Amino acid sequence: MSIHSYDSQVWINDVQAYIDELFTYQQEKKLKVPLFFIRFLHVMLHSCSIPSDRAHVYGIATTLLKMGLDTHIRETHHCMDVLAGDYLSIQFYCLLSAQGEVAGIGHVAKTISKINEWNMEHHLWLQQKLPYDALALERVQHISSALVLSVIHFFREQFGID
């Protein structure tokens, strides 16, 4: 097993621990760790030579945030879905603030605002039952890639990586 596989598996296990903790309260619809997302984020952070301790914290926090956002945009909004989404999202802030990563929180929070705006536009577009066009596909692409790009851009600015 390569170091990348081992490291990303540690990230996956850490995210799973948060999910397991959440589901001691919620017994229905257990969430799954987004494996592709976490492995992709791991590769991206590693390729930018981000210190492993910071990459780990950002990897776990960003994955939990993504899961929280995804939980909020489900078609069916049960009270427990909203609470689960809130729980997962707030872990992002808890993990990063515990490490003193205030600048990173601010940077990603701006992205979350944009993601929510794009999600609202997309939801309205879906309600109108319009056919998919280039703009709709571009919006979906922005929504799906924004968190990873935001974290990478944050570290690129911090370390002056081009």
Side-chain angles (χ1 to χ4, degrees), residues 122 125-126 130-143:
H122 191 69
W125 179 86
L126 287 172
L130 298 171
Y132 268 89
D133 58 9
L135 182 60
L137 293 174
E138 185 177 318
R139 189 179 309 114
V140 170
Q141 180 184 20
H142 286 309
I143 291 167

Side-chain angles (χ1 to χ4, degrees), residues 40-59:
F40 182 71
L41 182 58
H42 180 267
V43 167
M44 294 298 292
L45 290 172
H46 181 73
S47 71
C48 294
S49 301
I50 307 305
S52 63
D53 58 332
R54 289 183 81 193
H56 180 86
V57 170
Y58 274 87

